[in-house]
Amino acid sequence: MRPDLDVHHDGVRREAGPHRRTGDHGQPVRRLAGPDRLHQGGPGGRSTLAVTNNADSPLAAVSEHHIDILAGPEKALPATKTYTASLLALYLFVEGLRGGEGSAAEVLPELAEQILGRQAEVRTLASRYRFAERMVITSRGYGYPTAKEAALKLMETSYIPALSYSGADLLHGPLAMVDNIFPVIAVVTDGRGGEALQPVLDRLRGRGADLVVVGPRAQVEAASAGFVLPMEGVAEEVQPILEILPLQMLAYEVTIARGQDPDAPRALAKVTETR
């Protein structure tokens, strides 16, 4: 496969329809010129790869290569399992390119099941944000996309304005809005990303922020509250697949606590038309 590869993502399995695909976070989007754009990839000398949850989608049909993430129907409007399945599929794809076997992913099913069984812990955390007017979610390294996805889920289900920042960017100005009543969620990876986030955590604690950590036990114990992730022996590059799970559950529980329906957010459609 050539290095000049275009990757296109369609994260939601559904009834096949013309020109349906999704954006980066799995929210379905109808791009009126979507598959047509891929037709132009071949003449430009590029290989095209579609990552979809529907093997019969038009995007898959016009791509040179295709990965079906096999997540099954996404019944709620906010995409959740299609996000985690896409992460896993892309990790395995990259592993294949570099000649790896994807062995780092072998521990994920058991650990994910353990995390999903801790709903009561997440419900307790959710009570902190029932009346929140805004919040910040931050991380670095592999955890940064997790922070962005978590912010999106909280905004589209609970309607809380949730801002996501790289820890480095948070220190360049936005930190000024953080005080002792401002809720901050930090996604702390166990590895180089977590080490790079440490100065940010220190600054947040110094400002008295209401800091909740999703990550290793030592970091959670040093925060106001948090959710301990079972990260011992888990490679940093696959940790995001586990990190997002308690945050998806948090978005669900916060929405329930605020008296709203997380499966049918207002103004959110399964398919959004764009040009």
Side-chain angles (χ1 to χ4, degrees), residues 94-95 108 234 263:
V94 172
E95 274 289 279
L108 296 178
V234 180
D263 291 331

Side-chain angles (χ1 to χ4, degrees), residues 137-150:
I137 306 178
T138 186
S139 188
R140 291 204 71 178
Y142 287 111
Y144 180 42
T146 304
K148 295 186 72 66
E149 173 67 9

